[in-house]
Short mmCIF file of all heavy atoms in Angstrom, two decimals:
data_model
loop_
_atom_site.label_atom_id
_atom_site.label_comp_id
_atom_site.label_asym_id
_atom_site.label_seq_id
_atom_site.Cartn_x
_atom_site.Cartn_y
_atom_site.Cartn_z
N LEU A 865 80.95 95.87 145.02
CA LEU A 865 79.96 96.17 143.96
C LEU A 865 80.71 96.74 142.77
O LEU A 865 80.35 96.52 141.54
CB LEU A 865 78.93 97.17 144.45
CG LEU A 865 78.00 96.68 145.59
CD1 LEU A 865 76.99 97.79 146.03
CD2 LEU A 865 77.24 95.44 145.15
N GLU A 866 81.73 97.59 143.00
CA GLU A 866 82.50 98.15 141.89
C GLU A 866 83.18 97.04 141.11
O GLU A 866 83.27 97.12 139.86
CB GLU A 866 83.54 99.14 142.43
CG GLU A 866 82.94 100.50 142.86
CD GLU A 866 82.38 101.32 141.70
OE1 GLU A 866 83.15 101.67 140.83
OE2 GLU A 866 81.18 101.48 141.71
N THR A 867 83.76 96.04 141.75
CA THR A 867 84.42 94.94 141.12
C THR A 867 83.39 94.14 140.29
O THR A 867 83.75 93.72 139.13
CB THR A 867 85.06 94.08 142.17
OG1 THR A 867 86.02 94.82 142.96
CG2 THR A 867 85.91 92.95 141.48
N LEU A 868 82.23 93.89 140.84
CA LEU A 868 81.18 93.20 140.02
C LEU A 868 80.79 94.00 138.83
O LEU A 868 80.44 93.40 137.86
CB LEU A 868 79.98 92.90 140.95
CG LEU A 868 80.18 91.87 142.06
CD1 LEU A 868 78.90 91.74 142.90
CD2 LEU A 868 80.63 90.54 141.57
N SER A 869 80.87 95.28 138.92
CA SER A 869 80.60 96.16 137.80
C SER A 869 81.61 95.97 136.69
O SER A 869 81.29 95.86 135.50
CB SER A 869 80.42 97.63 138.22
OG SER A 869 79.35 97.81 139.21
N HIS A 870 82.91 96.04 137.13
CA HIS A 870 83.96 95.85 136.13
C HIS A 870 83.85 94.46 135.45
O HIS A 870 84.33 94.25 134.36
CB HIS A 870 85.29 95.97 136.79
CG HIS A 870 85.63 97.42 137.19
ND1 HIS A 870 85.81 98.42 136.27
CD2 HIS A 870 85.90 98.01 138.42
CE1 HIS A 870 86.05 99.55 136.84
NE2 HIS A 870 86.17 99.33 138.16
N MET A 871 83.31 93.48 136.19
CA MET A 871 83.28 92.13 135.66
C MET A 871 81.97 91.89 134.88
O MET A 871 81.77 90.80 134.33
CB MET A 871 83.34 91.13 136.83
CG MET A 871 84.71 91.23 137.47
SD MET A 871 84.79 90.28 139.04
CE MET A 871 84.48 88.62 138.51
N GLY A 872 81.09 92.89 134.79
CA GLY A 872 79.89 92.74 133.88
C GLY A 872 78.62 92.26 134.62
O GLY A 872 77.57 92.21 133.90
N LEU A 873 78.64 91.90 135.84
CA LEU A 873 77.44 91.41 136.52
C LEU A 873 76.56 92.62 136.77
O LEU A 873 75.32 92.51 136.71
CB LEU A 873 77.79 90.76 137.79
CG LEU A 873 76.64 90.21 138.62
CD1 LEU A 873 75.82 89.18 137.87
CD2 LEU A 873 77.12 89.63 139.96
N LEU A 874 77.14 93.78 137.13
CA LEU A 874 76.44 94.99 137.43
C LEU A 874 76.91 96.14 136.48
O LEU A 874 77.89 95.95 135.82
CB LEU A 874 76.65 95.43 138.91
CG LEU A 874 76.35 94.42 140.01
CD1 LEU A 874 76.73 95.00 141.32
CD2 LEU A 874 74.90 93.96 139.99
N GLN A 875 76.15 97.15 136.52
CA GLN A 875 76.62 98.38 135.84
C GLN A 875 76.34 99.53 136.76
O GLN A 875 75.22 99.71 137.31
CB GLN A 875 75.89 98.64 134.50
CG GLN A 875 76.34 99.89 133.78
CD GLN A 875 75.52 100.16 132.54
OE1 GLN A 875 74.63 99.41 132.20
NE2 GLN A 875 75.82 101.29 131.81
N ARG A 876 77.34 100.40 136.99
CA ARG A 876 77.14 101.58 137.79
C ARG A 876 76.56 102.63 136.90
O ARG A 876 77.12 103.00 135.88
CB ARG A 876 78.40 102.08 138.44
CG ARG A 876 78.23 103.21 139.41
CD ARG A 876 79.52 103.66 140.07
NE ARG A 876 80.42 104.13 139.09
CZ ARG A 876 81.57 104.78 139.45
NH1 ARG A 876 81.95 104.88 140.74
NH2 ARG A 876 82.38 105.20 138.50
N VAL A 877 75.37 103.16 137.32
CA VAL A 877 74.69 104.18 136.54
C VAL A 877 74.78 105.51 137.12
O VAL A 877 74.55 106.54 136.52
CB VAL A 877 73.17 103.83 136.37
CG1 VAL A 877 73.06 102.53 135.49
CG2 VAL A 877 72.55 103.62 137.65
N HIS A 878 75.16 105.65 138.37
CA HIS A 878 75.36 106.89 139.09
C HIS A 878 76.19 106.59 140.33
O HIS A 878 76.40 105.41 140.66
CB HIS A 878 73.97 107.49 139.51
CG HIS A 878 74.03 108.95 139.82
ND1 HIS A 878 74.15 109.34 141.15
CD2 HIS A 878 74.03 110.07 139.12
CE1 HIS A 878 74.26 110.63 141.23
NE2 HIS A 878 74.11 111.15 140.00
N LYS A 879 76.60 107.64 141.03
CA LYS A 879 77.33 107.37 142.26
C LYS A 879 76.53 106.54 143.22
O LYS A 879 75.45 106.92 143.62
CB LYS A 879 77.69 108.72 142.88
CG LYS A 879 78.55 108.55 144.16
CD LYS A 879 78.96 109.93 144.72
CE LYS A 879 79.83 109.71 146.00
NZ LYS A 879 80.10 110.99 146.64
N ASN A 880 77.10 105.39 143.55
CA ASN A 880 76.49 104.46 144.56
C ASN A 880 75.18 103.88 144.09
O ASN A 880 74.38 103.41 144.90
CB ASN A 880 76.33 105.12 145.92
CG ASN A 880 77.65 105.51 146.55
OD1 ASN A 880 78.72 105.03 146.13
ND2 ASN A 880 77.65 106.40 147.47
N LYS A 881 74.89 103.91 142.78
CA LYS A 881 73.67 103.29 142.18
C LYS A 881 74.10 102.32 141.05
O LYS A 881 74.99 102.65 140.28
CB LYS A 881 72.76 104.37 141.67
CG LYS A 881 72.10 105.21 142.71
CD LYS A 881 71.03 106.17 142.06
CE LYS A 881 70.35 106.99 143.13
NZ LYS A 881 69.30 107.92 142.61
N TYR A 882 73.45 101.17 141.10
CA TYR A 882 73.86 100.08 140.19
C TYR A 882 72.67 99.44 139.57
O TYR A 882 71.57 99.49 140.09
CB TYR A 882 74.65 99.01 140.93
CG TYR A 882 75.89 99.57 141.61
CD1 TYR A 882 75.80 100.14 142.91
CD2 TYR A 882 77.08 99.53 141.01
CE1 TYR A 882 76.92 100.66 143.53
CE2 TYR A 882 78.25 100.06 141.63
CZ TYR A 882 78.15 100.60 142.88
OH TYR A 882 79.25 101.13 143.44
N VAL A 883 72.87 98.84 138.38
CA VAL A 883 71.86 98.14 137.68
C VAL A 883 72.38 96.68 137.50
O VAL A 883 73.46 96.45 137.11
CB VAL A 883 71.51 98.75 136.27
CG1 VAL A 883 70.72 97.76 135.43
CG2 VAL A 883 70.80 100.04 136.47
N LYS A 884 71.45 95.76 137.77
CA LYS A 884 71.81 94.32 137.60
C LYS A 884 71.82 94.07 136.03
O LYS A 884 70.72 94.22 135.39
CB LYS A 884 70.81 93.45 138.31
CG LYS A 884 71.07 91.91 138.23
CD LYS A 884 70.00 91.30 139.00
CE LYS A 884 70.02 89.75 138.86
NZ LYS A 884 68.96 89.11 139.64
N GLN A 885 72.97 93.61 135.50
CA GLN A 885 73.06 93.42 134.07
C GLN A 885 72.74 91.98 133.58
O GLN A 885 72.23 91.77 132.53
CB GLN A 885 74.49 93.75 133.63
CG GLN A 885 74.78 95.21 133.65
CD GLN A 885 74.12 95.99 132.60
OE1 GLN A 885 73.01 96.48 132.82
NE2 GLN A 885 74.62 96.03 131.39
N ARG A 886 72.97 91.02 134.42
CA ARG A 886 72.74 89.61 134.07
C ARG A 886 72.42 88.84 135.38
O ARG A 886 72.69 89.30 136.47
CB ARG A 886 73.91 89.02 133.32
CG ARG A 886 75.22 88.98 134.14
CD ARG A 886 76.27 88.26 133.30
NE ARG A 886 77.62 88.39 133.91
CZ ARG A 886 78.03 87.64 134.93
NH1 ARG A 886 77.18 86.70 135.46
NH2 ARG A 886 79.25 87.77 135.48
N GLU A 887 71.87 87.66 135.11
CA GLU A 887 71.51 86.82 136.31
C GLU A 887 72.80 86.07 136.84
O GLU A 887 73.72 85.84 136.07
CB GLU A 887 70.48 85.72 135.88
CG GLU A 887 69.10 86.35 135.45
CD GLU A 887 68.45 87.08 136.58
OE1 GLU A 887 68.73 86.80 137.75
OE2 GLU A 887 67.54 87.90 136.23
N ILE A 888 72.73 85.71 138.10
CA ILE A 888 73.89 85.05 138.71
C ILE A 888 73.72 83.55 138.41
O ILE A 888 72.59 83.07 138.51
CB ILE A 888 73.89 85.28 140.24
CG1 ILE A 888 74.07 86.80 140.48
CG2 ILE A 888 75.02 84.43 140.89
CD1 ILE A 888 73.81 87.21 141.94
N THR A 889 74.80 82.86 138.04
CA THR A 889 74.75 81.41 137.81
C THR A 889 74.98 80.68 139.09
O THR A 889 76.07 80.80 139.70
CB THR A 889 75.80 81.00 136.75
OG1 THR A 889 75.64 81.75 135.57
CG2 THR A 889 75.76 79.55 136.46
N TRP A 890 73.99 79.96 139.53
CA TRP A 890 74.04 79.29 140.79
C TRP A 890 74.29 77.74 140.57
O TRP A 890 74.98 77.07 141.35
CB TRP A 890 72.77 79.46 141.60
CG TRP A 890 72.54 80.84 142.13
CD1 TRP A 890 71.83 81.83 141.46
CD2 TRP A 890 73.15 81.42 143.28
NE1 TRP A 890 71.91 83.01 142.19
CE2 TRP A 890 72.67 82.78 143.27
CE3 TRP A 890 73.92 80.98 144.33
CZ2 TRP A 890 73.06 83.69 144.34
CZ3 TRP A 890 74.28 81.87 145.32
CH2 TRP A 890 73.77 83.22 145.33
N GLN A 891 73.65 77.23 139.53
CA GLN A 891 73.77 75.74 139.28
C GLN A 891 74.94 75.46 138.40
O GLN A 891 74.98 75.84 137.20
CB GLN A 891 72.46 75.26 138.63
CG GLN A 891 71.20 75.49 139.47
CD GLN A 891 71.16 74.47 140.60
OE1 GLN A 891 71.77 73.48 140.62
NE2 GLN A 891 70.27 74.78 141.60
N SER A 892 75.89 74.70 138.88
CA SER A 892 77.07 74.35 138.08
C SER A 892 77.59 72.96 138.70
O SER A 892 77.45 72.78 139.90
CB SER A 892 78.19 75.36 138.13
OG SER A 892 77.82 76.50 137.47
N SER A 893 78.18 72.16 137.83
CA SER A 893 78.80 70.92 138.28
C SER A 893 80.11 71.30 138.99
O SER A 893 80.67 72.38 138.77
CB SER A 893 79.07 69.98 137.12
OG SER A 893 80.05 70.53 136.31
N SER A 894 80.71 70.38 139.76
CA SER A 894 82.01 70.64 140.44
C SER A 894 83.05 70.98 139.47
O SER A 894 83.86 71.89 139.67
CB SER A 894 82.35 69.42 141.29
OG SER A 894 81.40 69.23 142.33
N ALA A 895 83.14 70.23 138.37
CA ALA A 895 84.14 70.47 137.36
C ALA A 895 84.01 71.82 136.69
O ALA A 895 84.99 72.53 136.51
CB ALA A 895 84.14 69.28 136.27
N ASP A 896 82.72 72.22 136.40
CA ASP A 896 82.50 73.48 135.80
C ASP A 896 82.86 74.62 136.77
O ASP A 896 83.39 75.70 136.34
CB ASP A 896 81.06 73.64 135.34
CG ASP A 896 80.73 72.82 134.09
OD1 ASP A 896 81.68 72.44 133.39
OD2 ASP A 896 79.55 72.55 133.85
N LEU A 897 82.58 74.42 138.03
CA LEU A 897 82.91 75.44 139.00
C LEU A 897 84.40 75.75 139.09
O LEU A 897 84.80 76.88 139.19
CB LEU A 897 82.38 75.04 140.35
CG LEU A 897 80.91 75.40 140.69
CD1 LEU A 897 80.50 74.74 142.02
CD2 LEU A 897 80.72 76.90 140.79
N LEU A 898 85.19 74.64 139.07
CA LEU A 898 86.65 74.86 139.13
C LEU A 898 87.14 75.61 137.92
O LEU A 898 88.05 76.42 138.04
CB LEU A 898 87.34 73.50 139.24
CG LEU A 898 87.05 72.69 140.57
CD1 LEU A 898 87.67 71.33 140.48
CD2 LEU A 898 87.46 73.41 141.76
N LYS A 899 86.56 75.37 136.76
CA LYS A 899 86.94 76.14 135.57
C LYS A 899 86.48 77.59 135.62
O LYS A 899 87.16 78.51 135.30
CB LYS A 899 86.33 75.46 134.29
CG LYS A 899 86.89 74.14 133.98
CD LYS A 899 86.25 73.53 132.76
CE LYS A 899 86.77 72.18 132.41
NZ LYS A 899 86.09 71.56 131.29
N ARG A 900 85.23 77.78 136.16
CA ARG A 900 84.72 79.14 136.36
C ARG A 900 85.51 79.90 137.34
O ARG A 900 85.60 81.14 137.24
CB ARG A 900 83.22 79.07 136.65
CG ARG A 900 82.34 78.68 135.53
CD ARG A 900 80.91 78.71 135.95
NE ARG A 900 80.51 80.08 136.37
CZ ARG A 900 79.74 80.31 137.43
NH1 ARG A 900 79.22 79.27 138.11
NH2 ARG A 900 79.46 81.55 137.73
N ASP A 901 85.94 79.26 138.42
CA ASP A 901 86.76 79.94 139.38
C ASP A 901 87.94 80.62 138.72
O ASP A 901 88.28 81.79 139.02
CB ASP A 901 87.32 78.97 140.44
CG ASP A 901 86.24 78.45 141.42
OD1 ASP A 901 85.20 79.20 141.54
OD2 ASP A 901 86.37 77.43 141.94
#
Side-chain angles (χ1 to χ4, degrees):
L865 296 180
E866 286 292 298
T867 305
L868 293 179
S869 298
H870 287 298
M871 295 169 63
L873 180 63
L874 307 177
Q875 180 185 2
R876 186 176 63 171
V877 293
H878 195 267
K879 183 180 180 182
N880 297 340
K881 289 186 178 180
Y882 302 86
V883 167
K884 181 178 171 182
Q885 289 290 93
R886 59 177 174 81
E887 298 296 340
I888 301 165
T889 302
W890 294 92
Q891 298 285 343
S892 295
S893 67
S894 297
D896 286 342
L897 274 172
L898 294 176
K899 292 179 182 177
R900 287 184 57 220
D901 288 337

